[in-house]
Amino acid sequence: MKFMTSNEKVRSAADIVAAAWSVVLSYGTDRVDPAVPRAAHRHPSLRVLWPMVSHGVLYLSRCTRYPWSRDIPTAFRQGGGGYQVRRQPDHALLGVVDTLEEAYALIATSLPDGCGPAIDGTAGDLPSCAGLGREAQANGS
């Protein structure tokens, strides 16, 4: 049995994330407006997160396997123009902006504490997902 070093695991997760971005960036308008993943991919802190598209919306996760983390804010296009940036666990509205660039800049500055590159695992493998670690500490758990 071969054991991987932590550097090999990081590289492996990074390769998985890079491959996922390659796929998402190749999507046509039938899946997502191609400008959406391109705007997110421009931010180094977002580029290391796992991308996925559902119903024309780009979601990002701190892990590569289901169930994914749900603690990365998401940009939702508004009917009248512009974007709402929301955080999923508490449905908090972080802001309403005019452009994709502003939406992903806001997301990049609103990442959870300690958010780093996505891990090759599930949300359960993260030390703290959606702030649950901080809440548990505050409650004395």
Side-chain angles (χ1 to χ4, degrees):
M1 172 186 276
K2 180 185 178 211
F3 294 96
M4 288 197 288
T5 68
S6 61
N7 285 343
E8 287 174 316
K9 286 183 181 182
V10 169
R11 236 185 345 263
S12 176
D15 289 344
I16 292 167
V17 168
W21 271 109
S22 180
V23 170
V24 169
L25 289 166
S26 74
Y27 284 162
T29 56
D30 57 322
R31 298 238 183 158
V32 66
D33 176 350
V36 172
R38 286 194 304 261
H41 194 261
R42 284 187 199 102
H43 294 271
S45 61
L46 303 181
R47 192 179 317 142
V48 297
L49 301 173
W50 173 260
M52 68 195 102
V53 173
S54 179
H55 298 87
V57 176
L58 175 69
Y59 295 93
L60 300 170
S61 173
R62 294 192 296 144
C63 52
T64 63
R65 299 181 195 195
Y66 181 83
W68 296 284
S69 69
R70 298 182 50 196
D71 54 351
I72 305 298
T74 304
F76 296 95
R77 184 153 182 78
Q78 298 189 115
Y83 295 84
Q84 286 187 5
V85 176
R86 293 193 171 273
R87 188 175 50 227
Q88 284 210 345
D90 59 2
H91 303 287
L93 177 63
L94 302 180
V96 177
V97 296
D98 293 327
T99 68
L100 274 171
E101 291 73 19
E102 291 171 312
Y104 284 99
L106 177 56
I107 290 169
T109 61
S110 301
L111 293 175
D113 292 341
C115 186
I119 63 160
D120 183 17
T122 69
D125 297 324
L126 294 166
S128 172
C129 190
L132 295 177
R134 288 187 301 271
E135 291 168 14
Q137 289 172 0
N139 294 329
S141 302

